Amino acid sequence: QVQLVESGGGLVQTGGSLRLSCEASGLTFSSYYLAWFRQAPGGEREFVAGIRWSDIITAYADSVKGRFTISRDSAKNTVYLQMNTLKPEDTATYYCAAKINPKVTTTQWAFNYWGQGAQVTVSS
């Protein structure tokens, strides 16, 4: 059984930083693609960042490029999202997601597995 568990969310002031973690179990990491999505209240779920496990190829949404960094730790079966220079518009529930096909994609419908979400609130 595949399980993804997010942690590291919280409340931070504008300009601050947070690091989200996604601990995975039941995955064959050599052939998986993992990503972070976010969804604000009443909004659509949108792609934030993704990483191909095998060769660490990354992709970012334009809104977070230069501020967020996605990375992995194979020894811990964990993917991270380092979020710097946070803005109020970054406030959302952040979800870790994974899919079997390692091809890069940004649409939520392509992902097979999802975590329960981590709340990130940026105050002004």
Side-chain angles (χ1 to χ4, degrees):
Q1 182 180 10
V2 174
Q3 187 173 23
L4 306 174
V5 180
E6 301 97 337
S7 63
L11 175 65
V12 66
Q13 290 184 308
T14 297
S17 298
L18 285 173
R19 189 179 74 163
L20 301 181
S21 298
C22 175
E23 300 179 49
S25 61
L27 289 173
T28 302
F29 288 97
S30 62
S31 61
Y32 275 68
Y33 189 79
L34 291 98
W36 291 94
F37 290 78
R38 67 185 182 187
Q39 187 169 16
E44 298 293 325
R45 189 169 297 186
E46 62 179 359
F47 175 83
V48 177
I51 183 168
R52 192 157 65 191
W53 199 258
S54 60
D55 58 3
I56 323 178
I57 297 296
T58 59
Y60 297 92
D62 289 340
S63 60
V64 306
K65 193 171 297 181
R67 299 189 298 123
F68 291 11
T69 303
I70 188 169
S71 62
R72 67 152 172 88
D73 186 335
S74 60
K76 297 181 178 180
N77 292 339
T78 299
V79 62
Y80 303 98
L81 184 68
Q82 178 67 46
M83 304 183 292
N84 297 327
T85 319
L86 283 161
K87 305 174 181 179
E89 53 262 44
D90 295 318
T91 296
T93 301
Y94 284 71
Y95 297 91
C96 181
K99 67 185 185 74
I100 298 171
N101 193 324
K103 181 182 178 181
V104 176
T105 185
T106 61
T107 176
Q108 65 178 99
W109 312 114
F111 287 78
N112 308 101
Y113 310 106
W114 292 86
Q116 296 302 304
Q119 180 64 42
V120 173
T121 302
V122 184
S123 63
S124 59

